[in-house]
Coordinates of all heavy atoms in Angstrom, one line a residue:
M1 N -53.7 -26.2 -226.7 CA -55.0 -26.6 -227.3 C -55.9 -25.4 -227.4 O -55.8 -24.4 -226.7 CB -55.9 -27.5 -226.5 CG -57.2 -27.7 -227.1 SD -58.1 -29.0 -226.0 CE -59.8 -28.6 -226.3
H2 N -56.4 -25.2 -228.7 CA -57.2 -23.9 -229.0 C -58.6 -24.1 -228.8 O -59.3 -25.2 -229.1 CB -57.0 -23.5 -230.4 CG -55.4 -23.4 -230.8 ND1 -54.7 -22.2 -230.1 CD2 -54.6 -23.7 -231.8 CE1 -53.6 -22.2 -230.6 NE2 -53.4 -23.1 -231.6
I3 N -59.2 -23.0 -228.4 CA -60.8 -23.0 -228.4 C -61.2 -22.6 -229.7 O -60.4 -22.3 -230.5 CB -61.3 -22.1 -227.2 CG1 -60.8 -20.7 -227.5 CG2 -60.9 -22.6 -225.9 CD1 -61.6 -19.8 -226.6
T4 N -62.5 -22.7 -230.0 CA -63.1 -22.5 -231.2 C -63.3 -21.1 -231.7 O -63.7 -20.8 -232.7 CB -64.4 -23.4 -231.4 OG1 -65.3 -22.9 -230.4 CG2 -64.2 -24.8 -231.3
A5 N -63.1 -20.2 -230.8 CA -63.3 -18.8 -231.1 C -62.3 -18.4 -232.2 O -61.1 -18.7 -232.1 CB -63.3 -17.8 -229.9
G6 N -62.7 -17.5 -233.1 CA -61.7 -17.1 -234.1 C -62.2 -15.9 -234.8 O -63.2 -15.3 -234.5
H7 N -61.3 -15.3 -235.6 CA -61.6 -14.1 -236.3 C -60.8 -14.1 -237.7 O -59.8 -14.9 -237.8 CB -61.2 -12.9 -235.5 CG -59.9 -12.9 -235.0 ND1 -59.5 -13.5 -233.8 CD2 -58.8 -12.5 -235.5 CE1 -58.3 -13.4 -233.5 NE2 -57.8 -12.8 -234.7
H8 N -61.0 -13.3 -238.6 CA -60.4 -13.3 -239.8 C -59.3 -12.3 -239.7 O -59.2 -11.4 -239.0 CB -61.4 -12.7 -240.9 CG -62.4 -13.7 -241.4 ND1 -63.7 -13.7 -241.0 CD2 -62.2 -14.8 -242.2 CE1 -64.2 -14.7 -241.5 NE2 -63.4 -15.4 -242.3
H9 N -58.2 -12.8 -240.5 CA -57.2 -11.8 -240.9 C -57.1 -11.6 -242.4 O -57.3 -12.6 -243.1 CB -55.8 -12.5 -240.6 CG -55.5 -12.7 -239.1 ND1 -54.6 -12.1 -238.4 CD2 -56.2 -13.2 -238.1 CE1 -54.5 -12.4 -237.1 NE2 -55.5 -13.1 -236.9
V10 N -57.1 -10.4 -242.8 CA -57.1 -10.1 -244.3 C -55.7 -10.0 -244.8 O -54.9 -9.2 -244.2 CB -57.8 -8.8 -244.5 CG1 -58.0 -8.5 -246.0 CG2 -59.1 -8.7 -243.7
L11 N -55.4 -10.9 -245.7 CA -54.0 -10.9 -246.2 C -54.1 -10.2 -247.6 O -54.8 -10.5 -248.4 CB -53.6 -12.4 -246.6 CG -53.8 -13.4 -245.4 CD1 -53.4 -14.7 -245.8 CD2 -52.9 -12.8 -244.1
I12 N -53.2 -9.1 -247.7 CA -53.3 -8.2 -248.9 C -51.9 -8.3 -249.5 O -50.9 -8.1 -249.1 CB -53.5 -6.8 -248.3 CG1 -54.8 -6.6 -247.4 CG2 -53.6 -5.9 -249.4 CD1 -54.9 -5.5 -246.6
D13 N -52.1 -8.6 -250.8 CA -51.0 -8.6 -251.8 C -49.7 -9.4 -251.3 O -48.6 -9.1 -251.4 CB -50.4 -7.1 -252.0 CG -51.5 -6.1 -252.7 OD1 -52.3 -6.8 -253.4 OD2 -51.4 -4.9 -252.5
L14 N -50.1 -10.5 -250.8 CA -49.0 -11.4 -250.3 C -48.6 -12.4 -251.5 O -49.5 -13.0 -252.1 CB -49.5 -12.3 -249.1 CG -49.7 -11.6 -247.8 CD1 -49.9 -12.6 -246.8 CD2 -48.4 -10.7 -247.5
E15 N -47.4 -12.6 -251.7 CA -46.9 -13.6 -252.6 C -46.8 -15.0 -251.9 O -47.0 -15.9 -252.6 CB -45.7 -13.1 -253.2 CG -45.7 -11.7 -253.9 CD -44.7 -11.6 -255.0 OE1 -43.8 -12.5 -255.2 OE2 -44.8 -10.6 -255.8
R16 N -46.5 -14.9 -250.6 CA -46.3 -16.1 -249.8 C -47.2 -16.0 -248.7 O -47.2 -15.0 -248.0 CB -44.8 -16.4 -249.4 CG -44.0 -17.0 -250.4 CD -42.6 -17.2 -249.7 NE -42.8 -18.2 -248.5 CZ -42.1 -17.9 -247.3 NH1 -41.3 -16.9 -247.3 NH2 -42.3 -18.7 -246.3
L17 N -47.8 -17.1 -248.4 CA -48.7 -17.2 -247.2 C -47.8 -17.1 -245.8 O -46.7 -17.6 -246.0 CB -49.5 -18.5 -247.2 CG -50.7 -18.5 -248.1 CD1 -51.4 -19.9 -248.1 CD2 -51.7 -17.4 -247.9
P18 N -48.4 -16.6 -244.8 CA -47.5 -16.6 -243.5 C -47.3 -18.1 -243.1 O -48.1 -19.0 -243.5 CB -48.5 -15.8 -242.6 CG -49.8 -15.9 -243.2 CD -49.7 -15.9 -244.6
E19 N -46.4 -18.4 -242.2 CA -46.2 -19.7 -241.7 C -47.5 -20.1 -240.8 O -48.1 -19.3 -240.1 CB -45.1 -19.7 -240.6 CG -43.7 -19.3 -241.2 CD -43.3 -20.3 -242.4 OE1 -43.5 -21.5 -242.1 OE2 -42.6 -19.9 -243.2
M20 N -47.9 -21.3 -241.1 CA -49.2 -21.8 -240.5 C -49.1 -22.3 -239.1 O -50.1 -22.6 -238.5 CB -49.8 -22.9 -241.4 CG -50.3 -22.3 -242.7 SD -51.7 -21.0 -242.5 CE -51.3 -19.9 -244.1
D21 N -47.8 -22.3 -238.6 CA -47.7 -22.8 -237.2 C -47.1 -21.6 -236.3 O -46.7 -21.8 -235.3 CB -46.8 -23.9 -237.1 CG -45.3 -23.6 -237.7 OD1 -45.3 -22.5 -238.3 OD2 -44.5 -24.5 -237.5
Q22 N -47.4 -20.4 -236.8 CA -46.9 -19.3 -236.0 C -48.1 -18.1 -236.0 O -48.9 -18.2 -236.8 CB -45.7 -18.6 -236.6 CG -44.4 -19.6 -236.6 CD -43.2 -19.0 -237.3 OE1 -43.1 -17.8 -237.4 NE2 -42.3 -20.0 -237.6
R23 N -47.8 -17.2 -235.2 CA -48.8 -16.0 -235.0 C -48.8 -15.3 -236.3 O -47.7 -15.0 -236.9 CB -48.4 -15.2 -233.9 CG -49.2 -13.9 -233.7 CD -48.7 -13.1 -232.5 NE -49.3 -13.6 -231.3 CZ -50.0 -12.9 -230.4 NH1 -50.1 -11.6 -230.7 NH2 -50.4 -13.5 -229.4
I24 N -50.0 -15.0 -236.8 CA -50.1 -14.2 -238.1 C -49.6 -12.9 -237.8 O -50.0 -12.2 -236.9 CB -51.5 -14.3 -238.5 CG1 -52.1 -15.7 -238.7 CG2 -51.7 -13.5 -240.0 CD1 -53.5 -15.8 -238.7
P25 N -48.6 -12.4 -238.7 CA -48.2 -11.0 -238.5 C -49.2 -9.9 -238.5 O -50.5 -10.2 -239.0 CB -47.2 -10.7 -239.6 CG -46.9 -12.1 -240.1 CD -48.1 -13.0 -239.9
R26 N -48.9 -8.8 -237.9 CA -50.0 -7.7 -238.1 C -49.3 -6.5 -238.6 O -48.4 -5.9 -237.9 CB -50.5 -7.3 -236.7 CG -51.5 -6.2 -236.7 CD -52.0 -6.0 -235.2 NE -53.4 -5.5 -235.3 CZ -54.1 -5.3 -234.2 NH1 -53.6 -5.6 -232.9 NH2 -55.3 -4.8 -234.3
D27 N -49.6 -6.1 -239.8 CA -49.0 -5.1 -240.5 C -49.8 -4.7 -241.7 O -51.0 -5.1 -241.7 CB -47.4 -5.3 -241.0 CG -47.5 -6.6 -241.9 OD1 -48.4 -6.7 -242.6 OD2 -46.4 -7.3 -241.8
A28 N -49.4 -3.9 -242.6 CA -50.1 -3.3 -243.7 C -50.7 -4.4 -244.6 O -51.7 -4.3 -245.4 CB -49.4 -2.1 -244.5
N29 N -49.9 -5.5 -244.6 CA -50.5 -6.7 -245.6 C -51.1 -7.8 -244.8 O -51.5 -8.8 -245.4 CB -49.1 -7.3 -246.2 CG -48.4 -6.2 -247.0 OD1 -47.5 -5.6 -246.6 ND2 -49.0 -5.9 -248.2
H30 N -51.2 -7.6 -243.5 CA -51.9 -8.6 -242.6 C -52.8 -7.7 -241.7 O -52.4 -7.4 -240.6 CB -50.9 -9.4 -241.8 CG -49.9 -10.1 -242.6 ND1 -48.8 -9.6 -243.1 CD2 -49.7 -11.4 -243.0 CE1 -48.0 -10.3 -243.6 NE2 -48.5 -11.5 -243.7
V31 N -54.1 -7.5 -242.1 CA -54.9 -6.8 -241.3 C -55.8 -7.7 -240.3 O -56.4 -8.6 -240.8 CB -55.8 -5.9 -242.2 CG1 -56.9 -5.2 -241.4 CG2 -54.9 -5.0 -243.0
R32 N -55.7 -7.4 -239.1 CA -56.4 -8.3 -238.1 C -57.8 -7.7 -237.8 O -57.9 -6.5 -237.5 CB -55.6 -8.1 -236.9 CG -55.8 -9.3 -235.8 CD -55.0 -9.1 -234.7 NE -53.7 -9.6 -234.9 CZ -52.6 -9.6 -234.0 NH1 -52.8 -8.9 -232.9 NH2 -51.5 -10.2 -234.3
L33 N -58.9 -8.6 -237.9 CA -60.2 -8.2 -237.6 C -60.7 -8.9 -236.3 O -61.5 -9.7 -236.3 CB -61.1 -8.5 -238.8 CG -60.9 -7.9 -240.2 CD1 -61.8 -8.3 -241.2 CD2 -60.6 -6.4 -240.1
D34 N -60.1 -8.4 -235.1 CA -60.3 -9.2 -233.9 C -61.2 -8.5 -232.9 O -61.2 -8.7 -231.8 CB -59.0 -9.6 -233.3 CG -58.1 -8.3 -232.9 OD1 -58.4 -7.2 -233.5 OD2 -57.1 -8.5 -232.2
E35 N -61.9 -7.4 -233.3 CA -62.7 -6.6 -232.5 C -64.2 -6.5 -233.0 O -65.0 -5.7 -232.7 CB -62.2 -5.2 -232.4 CG -60.9 -5.1 -231.7 CD -60.3 -3.8 -231.6 OE1 -61.0 -2.8 -232.1 OE2 -59.3 -3.7 -230.8
G36 N -64.6 -7.8 -233.7 CA -65.9 -7.9 -234.1 C -66.4 -7.1 -235.3 O -67.5 -6.8 -235.7
E37 N -65.2 -6.6 -236.0 CA -65.6 -5.6 -237.2 C -66.4 -6.5 -238.2 O -66.1 -7.7 -238.5 CB -64.3 -5.3 -237.9 CG -63.4 -4.6 -237.0 CD -62.3 -5.2 -236.3 OE1 -62.6 -6.4 -235.9 OE2 -61.1 -4.7 -236.2
M38 N -67.4 -5.8 -238.8 CA -68.2 -6.4 -239.9 C -67.6 -5.8 -241.2 O -68.2 -6.4 -242.2 CB -69.7 -6.0 -239.7 CG -70.2 -6.6 -238.3 SD -70.3 -8.3 -238.3 CE -71.6 -8.5 -239.3
E39 N -66.8 -4.9 -241.2 CA -66.3 -4.3 -242.4 C -64.9 -3.6 -242.2 O -64.6 -3.4 -240.9 CB -67.2 -3.4 -243.0 CG -67.6 -2.2 -242.2 CD -68.5 -1.2 -242.8 OE1 -69.3 -1.6 -243.6 OE2 -68.5 0.0 -242.5
V40 N -64.1 -3.5 -243.1 CA -62.9 -2.8 -242.9 C -62.7 -2.0 -244.2 O -62.9 -2.4 -245.3 CB -61.7 -3.8 -242.7 CG1 -61.4 -4.7 -243.9 CG2 -60.4 -3.0 -242.3
L41 N -62.1 -0.8 -243.9 CA -61.7 0.0 -245.2 C -60.2 0.1 -245.4 O -59.3 0.2 -244.5 CB -62.1 1.5 -244.7 CG -61.9 2.6 -245.9 CD1 -62.7 2.3 -247.2 CD2 -62.0 4.0 -245.3
L42 N -59.9 -0.5 -246.5 CA -58.4 -0.6 -247.0 C -58.1 0.5 -247.9 O -58.7 0.7 -248.8 CB -58.2 -2.0 -247.7 CG -58.6 -3.2 -246.8 CD1 -58.6 -4.5 -247.8 CD2 -57.8 -3.4 -245.6
A43 N -56.9 1.1 -247.7 CA -56.5 2.2 -248.5 C -55.3 1.7 -249.3 O -54.2 1.5 -248.8 CB -56.0 3.3 -247.6
L44 N -55.7 1.3 -250.7 CA -54.9 0.7 -251.5 C -54.6 1.6 -252.7 O -55.6 2.2 -253.1 CB -55.2 -0.6 -252.0 CG -55.4 -1.8 -250.8 CD1 -56.2 -2.9 -251.4 CD2 -54.2 -2.0 -250.1
P45 N -53.4 1.7 -253.2 CA -53.1 2.5 -254.4 C -53.8 1.8 -255.6 O -54.1 0.7 -255.7 CB -51.7 2.5 -254.5 CG -51.2 1.4 -253.9 CD -52.2 1.0 -252.7
P46 N -53.9 2.6 -256.6 CA -54.6 2.0 -258.1 C -53.8 0.9 -258.4 O -52.5 0.9 -258.2 CB -54.7 3.2 -258.9 CG -54.5 4.5 -258.1 CD -53.7 4.1 -256.8
G47 N -54.3 -0.1 -259.2 CA -53.5 -1.1 -259.7 C -54.1 -2.4 -259.3 O -55.2 -2.6 -258.9
E48 N -53.2 -3.5 -259.5 CA -53.8 -4.9 -259.3 C -53.4 -5.2 -257.8 O -52.3 -5.0 -257.2 CB -52.8 -5.9 -260.1 CG -53.1 -5.6 -261.6 CD -54.4 -6.1 -262.2 OE1 -54.9 -7.0 -261.7 OE2 -54.9 -5.3 -263.1
H49 N -54.3 -5.8 -257.1 CA -54.3 -6.3 -255.7 C -54.8 -7.7 -255.5 O -55.6 -8.1 -256.3 CB -54.8 -5.3 -254.7 CG -54.2 -3.9 -254.8 ND1 -53.1 -3.6 -254.2 CD2 -54.6 -2.8 -255.5 CE1 -52.7 -2.4 -254.5 NE2 -53.7 -1.8 -255.2
S50 N -54.5 -8.2 -254.4 CA -55.1 -9.4 -254.0 C -55.4 -9.4 -252.5 O -54.8 -8.7 -251.7 CB -54.2 -10.6 -254.2 OG -53.1 -10.6 -253.3
V51 N -56.6 -10.1 -252.4 CA -57.1 -10.1 -250.9 C -57.5 -11.6 -250.5 O -58.0 -12.3 -251.4 CB -58.3 -9.2 -250.7 CG1 -59.0 -9.3 -249.3 CG2 -58.0 -7.8 -251.1
Q52 N -57.1 -12.0 -249.4 CA -57.5 -13.3 -249.0 C -57.6 -13.4 -247.5 O -57.1 -12.7 -246.7 CB -56.2 -14.2 -249.3 CG -56.5 -15.7 -249.2 CD -55.2 -16.5 -249.9 OE1 -54.2 -16.0 -250.0 NE2 -55.6 -17.8 -250.1
F53 N -58.6 -14.2 -247.1 CA -59.1 -14.2 -245.7 C -58.6 -15.6 -245.0 O -58.8 -16.6 -245.6 CB -60.5 -14.1 -245.5 CG -61.1 -12.8 -245.9 CD1 -61.4 -12.4 -247.2 CD2 -61.3 -11.8 -244.9 CE1 -62.0 -11.2 -247.6 CE2 -61.8 -10.5 -245.2 CZ -62.1 -10.3 -246.5
L54 N -57.9 -15.4 -243.8 CA -57.4 -16.4 -243.1 C -57.9 -16.4 -241.7 O -57.9 -15.4 -241.1 CB -55.9 -16.4 -243.1 CG -55.1 -17.4 -242.2 CD1 -55.3 -18.9 -242.6 CD2 -53.6 -17.0 -242.2
L55 N -58.5 -17.5 -241.2 CA -59.1 -17.4 -239.9 C -57.9 -17.9 -238.9 O -57.2 -18.7 -239.0 CB -60.2 -18.6 -239.8 CG -61.2 -18.4 -238.7 CD1 -62.0 -17.1 -239.0 CD2 -62.2 -19.6 -238.7
G56 N -57.9 -16.9 -237.8 CA -57.0 -17.2 -236.8 C -57.7 -17.3 -235.4 O -58.8 -17.0 -235.3
D57 N -57.0 -18.0 -234.5 CA -57.6 -18.3 -233.2 C -57.4 -17.2 -232.2 O -56.9 -16.0 -232.6 CB -57.1 -19.6 -232.7 CG -55.6 -19.7 -232.4 OD1 -55.1 -18.5 -232.4 OD2 -55.2 -20.8 -232.2
E58 N -57.7 -17.2 -231.0 CA -57.5 -16.1 -230.0 C -56.1 -15.8 -229.8 O -55.7 -14.7 -229.3 CB -58.2 -16.6 -228.7 CG -57.4 -17.5 -227.8 CD -57.6 -19.0 -228.3 OE1 -58.3 -19.2 -229.3 OE2 -57.1 -20.0 -227.6
E59 N -55.1 -16.7 -230.3 CA -53.7 -16.4 -230.2 C -53.1 -15.8 -231.6 O -52.0 -15.6 -231.7 CB -52.9 -17.6 -229.8 CG -53.2 -18.2 -228.4 CD -52.9 -17.2 -227.4 OE1 -52.0 -16.4 -227.4 OE2 -53.6 -17.3 -226.3
H60 N -54.1 -15.6 -232.5 CA -53.8 -15.1 -233.8 C -52.9 -16.1 -234.6 O -52.2 -15.7 -235.5 CB -53.1 -13.7 -233.8 CG -53.9 -12.7 -232.9 ND1 -55.0 -12.2 -233.3 CD2 -53.6 -12.3 -231.7 CE1 -55.5 -11.4 -232.4 NE2 -54.5 -11.4 -231.3
E61 N -53.1 -17.4 -234.4 CA -52.6 -18.4 -235.1 C -53.4 -19.1 -235.9 O -54.7 -19.2 -235.5 CB -51.8 -19.5 -234.1 CG -50.6 -18.9 -233.4 CD -50.0 -20.0 -232.6 OE1 -50.4 -21.2 -232.7 OE2 -49.2 -19.6 -231.8
P62 N -53.2 -19.6 -237.1 CA -54.1 -20.2 -238.0 C -54.7 -21.5 -237.2 O -54.0 -22.1 -236.6 CB -53.3 -20.6 -239.3 CG -52.2 -19.5 -239.3 CD -52.0 -19.4 -237.8
F63 N -55.9 -21.6 -237.5 CA -56.6 -22.9 -237.1 C -55.8 -24.1 -237.7 O -55.3 -24.1 -238.9 CB -58.0 -23.1 -237.2 CG -58.8 -22.2 -236.4 CD1 -59.0 -20.8 -236.5 CD2 -59.3 -22.8 -235.2 CE1 -59.8 -20.2 -235.7 CE2 -59.9 -22.1 -234.2 CZ -60.2 -20.8 -234.5
E64 N -56.0 -25.4 -237.2 CA -55.6 -26.5 -237.7 C -56.7 -27.6 -237.8 O -57.2 -27.9 -236.7 CB -54.4 -27.1 -236.9 CG -53.7 -28.2 -237.6 CD -52.5 -28.8 -236.9 OE1 -52.0 -28.2 -236.0 OE2 -52.3 -30.0 -237.1
P65 N -57.3 -27.9 -238.9 CA -56.7 -27.6 -240.3 C -56.9 -26.1 -240.6 O -57.9 -25.5 -240.1 CB -57.5 -28.6 -241.2 CG -58.8 -28.9 -240.5 CD -58.4 -28.8 -239.1
T66 N -56.2 -25.7 -241.5 CA -56.2 -24.2 -241.9 C -57.6 -23.9 -242.5 O -58.1 -24.6 -243.4 CB -55.1 -23.9 -242.9 OG1 -53.8 -24.3 -242.3 CG2 -55.1 -22.4 -243.3
L67 N -58.2 -22.7 -242.2 CA -59.3 -22.3 -242.7 C -59.0 -21.0 -243.4 O -58.8 -19.9 -242.8 CB -60.4 -22.0 -241.6 CG -60.9 -23.1 -240.7 CD1 -61.7 -22.9 -239.7 CD2 -61.7 -24.2 -241.8
I68 N -58.9 -21.0 -244.7 CA -58.5 -19.9 -245.7 C -59.4 -19.8 -246.9 O -59.6 -20.9 -247.4 CB -57.0 -20.1 -246.0 CG1 -56.5 -18.8 -246.6 CG2 -56.6 -21.3 -246.9 CD1 -55.0 -18.8 -246.7
A69 N -59.6 -18.7 -247.2 CA -60.5 -18.4 -248.5 C -59.6 -18.4 -249.7 O -58.3 -18.2 -249.6 CB -61.3 -17.3 -248.2
K70 N -60.2 -18.5 -250.8 CA -59.5 -18.4 -252.1 C -59.1 -17.0 -252.2 O -59.8 -16.0 -251.7 CB -60.4 -18.7 -253.2 CG -60.5 -20.2 -253.6 CD -61.3 -20.5 -254.6 CE -60.9 -20.0 -256.1 NZ -61.7 -20.5 -257.2
K71 N -58.0 -16.8 -252.8 CA -57.4 -15.5 -253.0 C -58.3 -14.7 -254.1 O -58.6 -15.3 -255.1 CB -55.9 -15.5 -253.5 CG -55.2 -14.2 -253.6 CD -53.9 -14.3 -254.2 CE -52.8 -14.6 -253.2 NZ -51.5 -14.5 -253.6
I72 N -58.7 -13.5 -253.8 CA -59.5 -12.7 -254.7 C -58.6 -11.7 -255.3 O -57.9 -10.9 -254.7 CB -60.6 -12.0 -253.9 CG1 -61.4 -13.0 -253.3 CG2 -61.4 -11.1 -254.8 CD1 -62.4 -12.4 -252.1
G73 N -58.6 -11.5 -256.7 CA -57.8 -10.5 -257.4 C -58.7 -9.3 -257.7 O -59.8 -9.5 -258.0
I74 N -58.3 -8.1 -257.5 CA -59.0 -6.9 -257.6 C -58.1 -5.9 -258.3 O -56.9 -5.9 -258.3 CB -59.5 -6.3 -256.3 CG1 -58.4 -6.0 -255.3 CG2 -60.6 -7.2 -255.8 CD1 -58.8 -5.3 -254.1
T75 N -58.8 -5.1 -259.1 CA -58.1 -4.0 -259.9 C -58.8 -2.7 -259.5 O -60.0 -2.5 -259.6 CB -58.2 -4.2 -261.4 OG1 -57.7 -5.5 -261.8 CG2 -57.4 -3.0 -262.2
L76 N -57.9 -1.9 -259.0 CA -58.4 -0.5 -258.5 C -58.0 0.6 -259.4 O -56.9 0.5 -260.0 CB -57.9 -0.3 -257.1 CG -58.2 -1.1 -256.0 CD1 -57.6 -0.7 -254.7 CD2 -59.7 -1.2 -255.9
E77 N -58.9 1.4 -259.8 CA -58.6 2.6 -260.9 C -58.2 3.7 -260.2 O -58.6 4.0 -258.9 CB -59.7 2.6 -261.8 CG -60.0 1.5 -262.6 CD -61.2 1.6 -263.6 OE1 -61.8 2.7 -263.6 OE2 -61.4 0.7 -264.4
Ligands
LIG101 CU1 -55.9 -12.8 -235.1

């Protein structure tokens, strides 16, 4: 059973969402904001990118039901 504390994971340029019944990976495409960050600086090359926020619990697993934002498309020059 999960408690209600949570934090965002920033999903970057993902074509497929991570498995919703497993720990969310932590790498360049899955940025974890679990230290109370109010902002994050992402170093991305110019071009088309996508960003999406997924709420994870204290075990870094998605909540059930899943709390996920719409994917945002961005273009960097
Ligand atoms: Cu997490």
Side-chain angles (χ1 to χ4, degrees):
M1 178 177 152
H2 298 302
I3 59 173
T4 55
H7 53 270
H8 285 98
H9 292 242
V10 189
L11 310 178
I12 303 158
D13 295 339
L14 290 189
E15 301 211 351
R16 278 189 53 224
L17 289 173
E19 298 296 330
M20 292 298 151
D21 59 351
Q22 296 176 21
R23 178 178 278 234
I24 302 163
R26 182 179 209 171
D27 56 32
N29 298 97
H30 306 75
V31 175
R32 196 178 278 177
L33 305 181
D34 61 345
E35 296 182 352
E37 295 97 326
M38 300 295 287
E39 60 185 25
V40 62
L41 182 63
L42 302 172
L44 300 172
E48 303 286 324
H49 296 280
S50 68
V51 178
Q52 192 167 16
F53 290 86
L54 172 62
L55 203 66
D57 65 16
E58 73 280 7
E59 300 295 331
H60 309 289
E61 293 182 9
F63 280 90
E64 192 179 332
T66 304
L67 294 168
I68 189 165
K70 276 177 70 173
K71 185 184 278 191
I72 301 167
I74 56 174
T75 303
L76 301 179
E77 297 181 356

